[in-house]
């Protein structure tokens, strides 16, 4: 049975200071767009109170596309009640690629897989995307500002396919919550994605790659142990023990915000179960990287306050000592941890560099 698209209201929102969800944007053509306005404060959906966007998503997961639901809200301080039919999430679209929504089994649940494949018969080079720490959807309809979106677009334009695997409890995926995943659960679900690529007829099996953002870069050498890959690129990552990585991040953030190190450390959290950090701390990342004979591109941003560019540089130096596999290092002084410039714009030069790397140019 195919994994269905989840229901949606067709809006984006933020947590309201007084409680509830303030509507910030509406998807044209959605049911919500016909009855809601930016600035509306949503209080309850299907008779369940709303506290923040996450609670809205949780309630929606218990519904089905086509269901009618009652939404209580305040508009300009005045209470209103509207009745809406839930849409199904639309699909992503690209002018030069098509999108396949499929599923795979991992961590005891059916997980959504999203493939963006260039037009033409193939076979195509392909990159499995390994996302960062935060439990947010990798579905760009759900998260239009996701840091991986500019990269997917650039790779598709360059003729490189991509695969994303949605974690449990997010987007269309079953199971969850995502926060309950351990580190090795993360490794397992992305190895399942890699195995799916290995069995796909449209894939150029000589040109399978991995791209890891943030902790995705820490996942990369462990995921690659399951099956040889041709190229690995990472951004905003390092091979330090997790506790030291967190401490180094806290030091950079303390300097940036003018706060004490103790203050920053006291407020840092992975948002995950304790075993996630414990398993990651015990993972031998330098050993895993050193054992790879894969070409690797290590990229970093000079404005990254989560990972010190010097730590990425140290990883590149470690990789350069391997007996096999080429190593490249790229540093953009103007980019932050999400690969964006100070004005919030994506860096076309960076995504183009990744595209050339995965195309083998």
């Amino acid at each position: 049975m195919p994994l269905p698209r989840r229901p949606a209201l067709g809006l984006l929102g933020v947590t309201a200071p007084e409680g509830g969800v303030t509507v910030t944007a509406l998807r044209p053509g959605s049911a919500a767009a016909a009855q809601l306005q930016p600035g509306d404060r949503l209080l309850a959906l299907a008779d369940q109170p709303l506290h923040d966007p996450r609670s809205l998503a949780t309630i929606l997961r218990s519904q089905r596309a086509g269901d009618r639901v009652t939404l209580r809200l305040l508009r300009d301080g005045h209470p209103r009640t509207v009745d809406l039919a839930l849409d199904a999430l639309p699909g992503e679209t690209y002018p030069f690629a098509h999108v396949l929504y499929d599923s795979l089994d991992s961590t005891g649940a059916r997980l959504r897989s999203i493939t963006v494949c260039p037009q033409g018969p193939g076979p195509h080079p392909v990159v499995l995307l390994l996302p960062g720490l935060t439990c947010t959807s990798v579905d760009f309809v759900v998260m239009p500002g996701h840091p991986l979106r500019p990269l997917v677009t650039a790779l598709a334009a360059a003729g490189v396919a991509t695969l994303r695997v949605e974690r449990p409890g997010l987007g269309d995926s079953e199971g969850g919550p995502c926060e309950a995943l351990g580190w090795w659960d993360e490794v397992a679900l992305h190895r399942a994605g890699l195995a799916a690529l290995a069995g796909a007829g449209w894939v150029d099996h000589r040109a399978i790659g991995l791209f890891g953002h943030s902790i995705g870069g820490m996942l990369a050498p462990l995921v690659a142990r399951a099956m040889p890959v041709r190229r690995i690129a990472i951004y905003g990552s390092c091979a330090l023990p997790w506790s030291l990585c967190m401490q180094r991040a806290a030091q950079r953030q303390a300097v940036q915000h003018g706060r004490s190190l103790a203050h920053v450390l006291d407020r840092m959290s992975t948002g995950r179960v304790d075993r996630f950090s414990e398993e990651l701390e015990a993972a031998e990342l330098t050993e895993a990287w050193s054992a790879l004979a894969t070409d690797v591109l290590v990229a970093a941003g000079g404005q990254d306050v989560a990972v010190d560019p010097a730590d990425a540089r140290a990883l590149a130096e470690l990789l350069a000592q391997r007996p096999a596999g080429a190593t490249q290092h790229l540093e953009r002084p103007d980019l932050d941890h999400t690969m964006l410039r100070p004005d919030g714009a994506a860096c076309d030069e960076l995504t183009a560099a990744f595209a050339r790397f995965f195309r083998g140019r």
Side-chain angles (χ1 to χ4, degrees):
M1 178 179 177
L3 187 62
R5 291 291 273 162
R6 78 171 208 194
L9 282 172
L11 62 85
L12 295 176
V14 297
T15 302
E18 311 87 346
V21 177
T22 299
V23 177
T24 57
L26 295 159
R27 175 164 42 84
S30 67
Q35 299 197 58
L36 301 181
Q37 298 177 6
D40 286 348
R41 181 157 70 96
L42 311 183
L43 304 177
L45 176 67
D47 296 322
Q48 299 182 62
L50 296 173
H51 307 290
D52 50 32
R54 191 64 181 269
S55 65
L56 176 60
T58 299
I59 296 169
L60 284 172
R61 291 183 70 82
S62 67
Q63 309 292 324
R64 293 179 298 179
D67 287 351
R68 299 200 71 85
V69 293
T70 299
L71 185 62
R72 289 195 295 109
L73 61 102
L74 290 176
R75 179 176 295 166
D76 299 325
H78 301 291
R80 291 189 175 215
T81 300
V82 299
D83 184 59
L84 293 171
L86 295 175
D87 300 322
L89 276 175
E92 297 175 16
T93 59
Y94 299 83
F96 26 69
H98 62 272
V99 183
L100 171 65
Y101 291 89
D102 205 342
S103 64
L104 52 83
D105 296 326
S106 182
T107 65
R110 286 194 304 168
L111 306 181
R112 168 64 72 209
S113 61
I114 306 173
T115 302
V116 177
C117 189
Q119 295 174 353
H124 300 285
V126 63
V127 178
L128 174 65
L129 301 176
L130 310 175
L133 175 67
T134 308
C135 278
T136 54
S137 174
V138 294
D139 187 324
F140 301 153
V141 175
V142 180
M143 294 292 295
H146 198 286
L148 293 178
R149 185 173 184 171
L151 176 63
V152 170
T153 302
L155 290 175
V160 180
T162 54
L163 173 66
R164 284 162 274 155
V165 180
E166 189 81 281
R167 291 159 169 152
L170 299 177
D172 297 332
S173 288
E174 297 174 344
C178 165
E179 290 83 357
L181 288 176
W183 171 252
W184 291 108
D185 294 328
E186 291 267 358
V187 173
L189 74 88
H190 291 296
R191 283 179 174 174
L194 193 58
L197 290 177
W202 55 268
V203 169
D204 181 349
H205 295 95
R206 301 164 301 174
I208 296 177
L210 303 176
F211 176 85
H213 173 233
S214 191
I215 68 152
M218 296 176 162
L219 287 166
L222 303 176
V223 173
R225 281 181 172 175
M227 189 185 84
V229 296
R230 182 66 187 88
R231 293 180 176 87
I232 298 175
I234 64 173
Y235 180 92
S237 192
C238 65
L240 294 174
W242 180 240
S243 58
L244 183 53
C245 184
M246 292 283 281
Q247 184 177 15
R248 296 269 288 165
Q251 290 169 340
R252 287 177 66 78
Q253 292 171 32
V255 170
Q256 183 189 54
H257 299 297
R259 295 175 177 169
S260 71
L261 178 60
H263 176 89
V264 176
L265 282 170
D266 187 55
R267 284 158 177 75
M268 291 188 80
S269 171
T270 64
R272 303 293 192 93
V273 291
D274 290 343
R275 71 185 178 96
F276 179 92
S277 296
E278 293 165 359
E279 291 172 353
L280 176 50
E281 180 73 15
E284 296 289 345
L285 297 180
T286 56
E287 178 184 321
W289 276 117
S290 298
L292 291 178
T294 304
D295 292 347
V296 181
L297 169 59
V298 179
Q303 303 303 311
D304 191 338
V305 295
V307 174
D308 194 320
D311 297 333
R313 202 175 308 126
L315 174 56
E317 292 169 358
L318 170 74
L319 291 167
Q321 299 172 18
R322 296 175 299 155
T327 302
Q328 299 180 41
H329 176 249
L330 175 63
E331 188 171 315
R332 296 285 309 192
D334 57 336
L335 299 185
D336 66 11
H337 190 62
T338 61
M339 299 182 277
L340 297 178
R341 292 191 168 102
D343 62 359
C347 179
D348 293 341
E349 295 88 348
L350 180 69
T351 55
F354 287 137
R356 288 193 300 272
F357 177 72
F358 285 117
R359 288 289 298 176
R361 298 174 184 170

